Amino acid sequence: KYETNNVHVLNAIKYINDNITQPLSLNSISSAIHLSREHTTRIFKKEMGKNFVTYLTEIRVEKAKTFLCCTSKKVYEIAYDVGFGDYRYFSQIFKKHTGLTPQEFKMSKNNTT
């Protein structure tokens, strides 16, 4: 989806994907790729065209969409599986990004299969 040759950004993306179920922050990512918060913020915005939090949220929502249509897990389980500690907050973020609640999304996908 995104293309970059920046090794630091690629390492950050790999770290995010490998640790998606964990609470991730700019601090944890910066530490993992051995850069300052400020430098991580700058290169992420430059290379990805969006800030770290936006990118992380989009990745989590996309992963949740896969779980919602392809597993029988409950919404609260999926929320935790993609790194949200509060499934109500997850539902709000999911609806903001997709226009549907997780349950509505799951039902719409189940009706088309």
Side-chain angles (χ1 to χ4, degrees):
K1 190 169 167 177
Y2 302 104
E3 291 187 26
T4 182
N5 293 323
N6 184 298
V7 68
H8 296 298
V9 174
L10 292 172
N11 287 339
I13 291 168
K14 180 177 181 348
Y15 185 83
I16 290 167
N17 289 330
D18 290 349
N19 295 282
I20 196 72
T21 62
Q22 304 302 312
L24 296 172
S25 67
L26 183 57
N27 284 339
S28 65
I29 300 297
S30 298
S31 177
I33 64 172
H34 310 292
L35 294 178
S36 70
R37 281 176 48 105
E38 295 75 18
H39 194 73
T40 302
T41 299
R42 251 190 325 278
I43 65 167
F44 215 89
K45 178 77 172 171
K46 180 181 178 218
E47 294 293 320
M48 304 305 283
K50 59 188 68 186
N51 69 37
F52 163 77
V53 173
T54 301
Y55 176 81
L56 179 60
T57 301
E58 288 176 359
I59 293 300
R60 287 183 163 158
V61 167
E62 286 303 311
K63 192 166 233 23
K65 286 165 63 175
T66 301
F67 286 147
L68 286 164
C69 74
C70 302
T71 70
S72 59
K73 289 184 174 192
K74 306 276 187 222
V75 171
Y76 73 88
E77 293 173 309
I78 292 169
Y80 297 128
D81 286 349
V82 298
F84 284 89
D86 179 344
Y87 78 93
R88 288 181 185 93
Y89 178 67
F90 161 71
S91 293
Q92 292 172 351
I93 295 298
F94 190 91
K95 184 165 185 169
K96 181 180 174 186
H97 281 264
T98 66
L100 299 170
T101 67
Q103 196 61 41
E104 290 168 342
F105 183 86
K106 186 176 185 85
M107 289 173 33
S108 74
K109 293 303 174 189
N110 288 340
N111 290 337
T112 59
T113 55

